[in-house]
Amino acid sequence: MNEPNAILLDHHEPVRRSAETGVASPTRGVNEGYPMLQMLRMLVGLSIFAGHWSEPYFGQMWPQGQIAIDIFFMIEGFLSMRFLSQPAVVGASWRRVVGDRIAHVYPIYAMALIAGFCSFAPLALKHAEGWTIANWVGAFFSGLVLMPVFSPRVYGSVFPLNPPSWAIVLELFGFAFLAALRVQGSPGRLVVLWVGAMSACLALGALWHDPNAGWSAAHYWGGWPRMILSFCGGALLWHLHRRHGTRGPTLPPTYVLAGFVGMHLPAIRFIGWPLLAFGVPVLVWSGAACARPAWLETIAGYARRNALAIYLLGYPVMMIWRYADTAFTMRPSFAESPAGFALVLGSLLAASVTVMRLQNNTVRVAPARP
């Protein structure tokens, strides 16, 4: 996208400004490039959903399940840096760029929070598993203003009504921080931030013996350097890829997908750190440079539109189905079977499409900003 009048609503979708009215209007159906990265964004949400779904039936599905979040942060940093480097965006005010990003993400986040609020209603009304009416409502209002809750509920999750949403909240801060740095042409500051964040992550990981910081009250503050590490790493990769991307090999998409799955599987102690330092950057670089067959472009279009909703709705949809299993005395053998998983997954995909259509309809009818 090279139009001088284009601005940013969402860092995966262009917006064009009418020459007559000067009003920004979204351009639908435009693939912003890097189709494999778009697909990986969706697969991150699906892998996290599958990991949470499997816990009560099979235990931990992915020995390195935390790596999906680091892949997500690095892809977001890569795409955000590309987005912020467009001439039209460089000329826009920080407030406008960040405000448009929040206006795109927050409605989806809020709808997922409402779904999570409803999914925990049975526990709150029965005062089960540490829930009460007061802390249930309190968690909802804290979530609405993007504030973490430090409590033992839901394994100490800082966003107990929708635990995976902590990464989306930090991603918003990461995007705003990257936009404020203005490093489109001078990535040196990114290197300094990356080194500092890596040092902090290594120190905290050694202290806690856990690379999966951020989602829980015990390790919440470690999520910030973790986000900055991968976010700045992704932004640096974009700068390097812009200059040298054509010199490397072009891998088939299936190799990249195999790498994504393979990074989740090693049951080796301390393997998470080499994966974070080397595996994730190689995966994102390979995804940016891989071949682009027609089937990948098609899936990427769907992923670009729905990946955020899939990520945010996965946990609430799963919890609603778990309550339905109990309420309707569904056989455990069915709930943990491939058919049960397919039913919940189909519900998630349908819910994500519905939420995104509501979001798009809201954008279309919203009055133009003066």
Side-chain angles (χ1 to χ4, degrees):
M1 183 185 64
N2 297 315
E3 295 87 353
N5 291 328
I7 62 171
L8 172 65
L9 269 184
D10 160 35
H11 70 300
H12 308 291
E13 181 172 358
V15 177
R16 291 174 182 163
R17 189 180 290 276
S18 166
E20 294 81 9
T21 64
V23 175
S25 59
T27 303
R28 303 294 172 191
V30 178
N31 194 325
E32 277 287 86
Y34 302 111
M36 177 51 72
L37 296 187
Q38 301 290 356
M39 186 174 179
L40 289 177
R41 290 177 68 244
M42 180 177 69
L43 291 178
V44 164
L46 291 174
S47 71
I48 291 172
F49 161 74
H52 284 298
W53 173 83
S54 71
E55 284 177 357
Y57 309 123
F58 312 113
Q60 190 178 32
M61 174 180 284
W62 311 116
Q64 301 300 324
Q66 83 289 340
I67 207 67
I69 295 295
D70 302 300
I71 295 170
F72 165 76
F73 282 144
M74 189 160 286
I75 291 175
E76 293 299 295
F78 186 101
L79 296 174
S80 296
M81 191 72 262
R82 175 183 186 265
F83 209 32
L84 293 168
S85 298
Q86 297 177 72
V89 179
V90 172
S93 69
W94 178 86
R95 183 176 179 181
R96 177 63 186 273
V97 171
V98 175
D100 285 342
R101 176 66 183 153
I102 293 172
H104 172 78
V105 172
Y106 187 81
I108 307 168
Y109 167 87
M111 284 186 273
L113 178 63
I114 292 169
F117 181 72
C118 295
S119 72
F120 278 92
L123 295 179
L125 295 175
K126 295 178 180 178
H127 288 230
E129 298 183 21
W131 286 96
T132 65
I133 299 295
N135 61 37
W136 175 55
V137 174
F140 176 72
F141 283 104
S142 295
L144 281 179
V145 296
L146 311 181
M147 293 294 294
V149 175
F150 298 98
S151 79
R153 293 185 300 279
V154 194
Y155 307 105
S157 171
V158 292
F159 289 92
L161 297 179
N162 191 5
S165 64
W166 73 271
I168 300 300
V169 174
L170 264 64
E171 188 271 345
L172 284 174
F173 283 101
F175 179 83
F177 182 59
L178 194 62
L181 284 177
R182 300 287 182 179
V183 291
Q184 291 84 349
S186 54
R189 280 173 285 180
L190 290 172
V191 176
V192 175
L193 285 168
W194 186 86
V195 171
M198 174 63 81
S199 301
C201 284
L202 288 174
L204 292 174
L207 177 65
W208 295 329
H209 303 285
D210 185 2
N212 192 20
W215 69 272
S216 71
H219 303 157
Y220 170 69
W221 297 109
W224 290 86
R226 181 183 179 188
M227 177 271 292
I228 293 172
L229 169 66
S230 294
F231 220 88
C232 290
L236 279 170
L237 277 183
W238 181 84
H239 281 285
L240 293 171
H241 189 269
R242 181 180 61 167
R243 298 176 184 178
H244 310 293
T246 58
R247 301 178 185 176
T250 300
L251 297 177
T254 49
Y255 287 23
V256 181
L257 294 175
F260 175 83
V261 175
M263 289 176 66
H264 288 69
L265 299 178
I268 303 171
R269 193 177 184 187
F270 302 129
I271 194 66
W273 294 114
L275 288 176
L276 175 59
F278 303 105
V280 175
V282 169
L283 179 74
V284 173
W285 181 281
S286 302
C290 79
R292 304 180 181 188
W295 65 264
L296 179 59
E297 297 280 2
T298 300
I299 295 174
Y302 175 85
R304 178 182 57 79
R305 293 188 299 272
N306 298 290
L308 180 62
I310 289 171
Y311 181 97
L312 284 170
L313 288 169
Y315 197 89
V317 167
M318 179 196 70
M319 289 299 297
I320 289 170
W321 271 108
R322 285 186 182 170
Y323 175 70
D325 291 348
T326 303
F328 297 104
T329 61
M330 194 174 295
R331 297 191 311 274
S333 59
F334 175 79
E336 66 187 41
S337 68
F341 176 74
L343 178 63
V344 181
L345 176 60
S347 303
L348 169 60
L349 297 178
S352 67
V353 171
T354 301
V355 164
M356 292 311 301
R357 286 184 177 176
L358 288 172
Q359 163 86 336
N360 293 338
N361 290 336
T362 302
V363 170
R364 290 192 186 101
V365 303
R369 195 188 313 191

